[in-house]
Amino acid sequence: MKKILIAWLAVFCLGFSVTGWAFPELTITDREIKQEHYLQVYPKVSIAGELTVSDKINTYFARNAEMAFRQYEEEKAKGVKKTEENKYVKSYYGDKYLSFTANGYMYYHGAAHPLSWLDGVTFDLATGDAIPWQKLIKEEDQEDFTLEAINSKILNSTEKWRSWLYRDFAGLKKLPRIYYLDREGYIHFVFGQYEIATYAAGIIDLNTEKQCK
């Protein structure tokens, strides 16, 4: 009995070890651009043994952060008063892809309410490139990602936001662009405020219930 327990424990430990080292070690530290009414938090990524890929991902984030801050400064110079915040958070890390969401809001002083958003970006870990969702669809799931299939998913949803869709909304005219991968690798499409529904619907997060390949 003791030998059986030891053998079982060895197998368990081996399995745990393999799982624990399935992907290269990923380290993420936050960088900030901060002013009185502005906050941009973006990641600096370090993937063990993948310096080129890490640098490419970091260049993407740094350039986007710089562009967003430059736009804020230009508006500020013109007398526009607004508060803006944006923060990236890792949503998925697997053997092929690394995905982030970006949660943010913008409030023009004196406006009735702020404008919030949920954005996403997914990187191919073989190249470090940000990639569209079409590149991570499994062959057997292709039919679930046609415009017709996605519209059916939206119009037949049982989520609360379904009742807030515009009355004349009959479906998307083109395929969605913004997406992210959740922690299990499921693909989510994101629709911003006013995009397909009223402000009351908030940000619409559509889980396709299909995992990336």
Side-chain angles (χ1 to χ4, degrees):
M1 182 68 177
K2 187 176 180 181
K3 289 182 179 180
I4 293 174
L5 282 173
I6 291 173
W8 181 87
L9 203 58
V11 171
F12 173 79
C13 291
L14 179 61
F16 179 81
S17 175
V18 169
T19 302
W21 293 97
F23 316 128
E25 182 181 359
L26 171 67
T27 304
I28 298 174
T29 55
D30 285 341
R31 289 182 169 180
E32 285 188 1
I33 300 177
K34 189 175 183 180
Q35 273 198 10
E36 183 181 3
H37 298 294
Y38 184 89
L39 177 62
Q40 173 81 240
V41 181
Y42 63 99
K44 179 181 179 182
V45 170
S46 177
I47 304 172
E50 298 291 348
L51 181 60
T52 301
V53 170
S54 299
D55 284 347
K56 202 166 186 178
I57 293 172
N58 290 331
T59 297
Y60 173 94
F61 283 123
R63 284 178 177 172
N64 274 21
E66 183 182 346
M67 287 173 58
F69 183 62
R70 188 184 305 138
Q71 182 177 349
Y72 172 83
E73 288 281 85
E74 289 173 355
E75 289 188 324
K76 184 179 177 181
K78 294 177 182 178
V80 176
K81 295 181 179 181
K82 70 174 182 178
T83 298
E84 184 175 342
E85 291 190 9
N86 192 52
K87 182 175 183 179
Y88 285 92
V89 177
K90 176 180 69 70
S91 60
Y92 175 80
Y93 177 47
D95 60 339
K96 295 180 181 177
Y97 311 113
L98 174 61
S99 189
F100 289 82
T101 57
N103 298 275
Y105 80 93
M106 182 187 301
Y107 175 68
Y108 286 93
H109 297 187
H113 49 67
L115 180 65
S116 301
W117 63 78
L118 174 64
D119 206 341
V121 59
T122 298
F123 299 95
D124 184 335
L125 293 178
T127 63
D129 293 328
I131 55 174
W133 57 264
Q134 287 89 339
K135 289 192 175 183
L136 20 98
I137 305 301
K138 296 176 182 177
E139 185 64 34
E140 63 267 28
D141 292 335
Q142 292 293 331
E143 291 185 0
D144 294 300
F145 287 89
T146 63
L147 185 59
E148 182 181 4
I150 294 171
N151 278 330
S152 177
K153 189 83 173 175
I154 294 171
L155 294 169
N156 293 305
S157 174
T158 57
E159 297 291 337
K160 291 181 180 179
W161 50 257
R162 172 64 182 82
S163 62
W164 294 105
L165 291 176
Y166 291 125
R167 292 182 179 178
D168 60 350
F169 178 75
L172 304 171
K173 302 299 182 184
K174 57 183 179 180
L175 291 169
R177 182 183 61 83
I178 299 175
Y179 81 99
Y180 71 92
L181 302 178
D182 67 20
R183 66 174 61 186
E184 302 297 331
Y186 286 96
I187 300 166
H188 290 239
F189 289 128
V190 178
F191 303 96
Q193 293 171 321
Y194 297 117
E195 189 173 351
I196 62 174
T198 62
Y199 181 85
I203 297 166
I204 294 175
D205 184 326
L206 181 71
N207 186 349
T208 66
E209 299 178 278
K210 298 293 181 180
Q211 290 177 300
C212 61
K213 62 185 179 183

